[in-house]
Amino acid sequence: MDIQKFTQKSQEALQLAQTKAVTFGHQQVDPKHLLLALVEPTDGLVRRLLQRIEVLPEALTAAVEHELQKLPKISGPGFAADKIFLSPELAQVCVAAEQQAQGMRDEYASVEHLFLTLLQKARNGLRDVFRKLDIDEAKFLNALKEVRGNQRVQSANPEATYEALERYGRDLVQAAKSGKMDPVIGRDDE
């Protein structure tokens, strides 16, 4: 696994997953921590994609937190926050995410590659969470195609370019149709 082959948001998600493991008192970072780290950011791509497939991100967050509560906790003098390890399962997810990116002809492994890999390699509790919330690979890929189009991940920060017009622009045709735009130019101050 080469961390330099991960986008900035993917690296942030892995760091946040480690923070989540410390917060929950776990000794290793697990795919559940990563899933939580991918879904939690309010401006994150995974959250927007989940909303497109009509899944409430809050419901997924609550279900994952419930699963994390089941894991054994370590506390006391033996617990060191700087000695948190990557679980073998999460290491496999990261390697598979790199392969997923290569399969999609992307140069970097992005958050969508991590989430797709989590969907594909889900075990035990995560598989049940995905099944319960009706999240599957086909739906997620369709939503990803709508958002991403034919763009490829060629930079370390591609998530900022997805849906840029919708997020930062104004649809003047839609504003005119809905009557929210004055047809006379320069009459705004009157």
Side-chain angles (χ1 to χ4, degrees), residues 11-161:
Q11 291 176 15
E12 288 173 9
L14 288 167
Q15 289 173 345
L16 183 58
Q18 182 178 4
T19 303
K20 293 292 178 190
V22 170
T23 303
F24 279 94
H26 299 146
Q27 191 172 14
Q28 63 182 7
V29 185
D30 170 273
K32 295 171 188 148
H33 297 108
L34 178 60
L35 179 58
L36 195 59
L38 289 171
V39 176
E40 264 192 5
T42 56
D43 62 337
L45 176 64
V46 172
R47 182 178 274 270
R48 290 195 315 263
L49 291 172
L50 288 172
Q51 290 168 341
R52 277 189 179 261
I53 62 173
E54 298 176 358
V55 172
L56 291 174
E58 294 80 17
L60 181 57
T61 300
V64 173
E65 285 177 349
H66 178 72
E67 288 296 318
L68 284 170
Q69 296 293 339
K70 296 177 184 178
L71 295 176
K73 295 181 181 187
I74 297 177
S75 61
F79 180 71
D82 61 337
K83 300 216 191 256
I84 303 294
F85 302 101
L86 205 66
S87 73
E89 190 177 341
L90 183 58
Q92 290 174 355
V93 166
C94 291
V95 170
E98 281 184 279
Q99 293 169 349
Q100 179 88 28
Q102 290 172 353
M104 295 173 80
R105 296 188 353 246
D106 292 328
E107 293 178 23
Y108 292 88
S110 185
V111 292
E112 64 263 25
H113 302 115
L114 287 170
F115 191 84
L116 276 169
T117 305
L118 286 172
L119 277 171
Q120 294 166 350
K121 298 203 174 284
R123 290 193 207 157
N124 306 328
L126 272 187
R127 187 179 323 126
D128 295 338
V129 167
F130 288 139
R131 196 175 303 132
K132 183 176 122 185
L133 295 173
D134 195 29
I135 302 171
D136 67 356
E137 188 178 349
K139 286 181 183 180
F140 188 80
L141 279 172
N142 286 336
L144 181 61
K145 285 178 187 173
E146 288 175 16
V147 170
R148 187 170 145 173
N150 292 330
Q151 292 180 3
R152 291 183 25 215
V153 178
Q154 296 178 322
S155 71
N157 194 11
E159 294 90 352
T161 63

